[in-house]
Amino acid sequence: THAALATLPPAAQTQEIRASKEGVEALTGRPPISFAYPYGSCSDETAGLVRDEEFASACTTRPGVVAQDSDTFLLPRMKVGDGLRLTLRSPE
């Protein structure tokens, strides 16, 4: 239903997360491994519930780049649009 998860009680959050996972699996024949929080709505509790549903990671809408110590269930995003210049460097 694309509900703002952090505004829901834990049981309702779990139901939304699980239904989303089952829907993707029904369409693709494979369980999804990553989750995106609807509207970026998440809390530490929400992240724990997504982890409990056996996802490998989850993306927020918080701006930023992923660092080596980033929580894999609270991954930031970088907006890609006109004028963005990004130079990738290999680790030293």
Side-chain angles (χ1 to χ4, degrees):
T1 65
H2 211 70
L5 295 176
T7 67
L8 302 175
Q13 289 186 58
T14 297
Q15 182 178 5
E16 290 283 335
I17 295 162
R18 190 171 292 154
S20 171
K21 183 177 184 179
E22 290 170 354
V24 169
E25 188 168 2
L27 288 170
T28 66
R30 302 172 116 175
I33 59 171
S34 189
F35 187 85
Y37 299 103
Y39 310 106
S41 178
C42 67
S43 63
D44 289 340
E45 179 179 51
T46 307
L49 295 170
V50 170
R51 182 181 284 112
D52 291 347
E53 290 301 317
E54 300 181 0
F55 284 92
S57 63
C59 293
T60 68
T61 56
R62 297 171 189 159
V65 295
V66 175
Q68 191 170 16
D69 62 346
S70 292
D71 182 333
T72 56
F73 289 88
L74 294 171
L75 294 173
R77 292 187 186 185
M78 177 181 288
K79 182 178 180 180
V80 177
D82 293 341
L84 176 67
R85 297 194 191 290
L86 181 64
T87 303
L88 299 177
R89 291 180 277 176
S90 60
E92 296 179 35

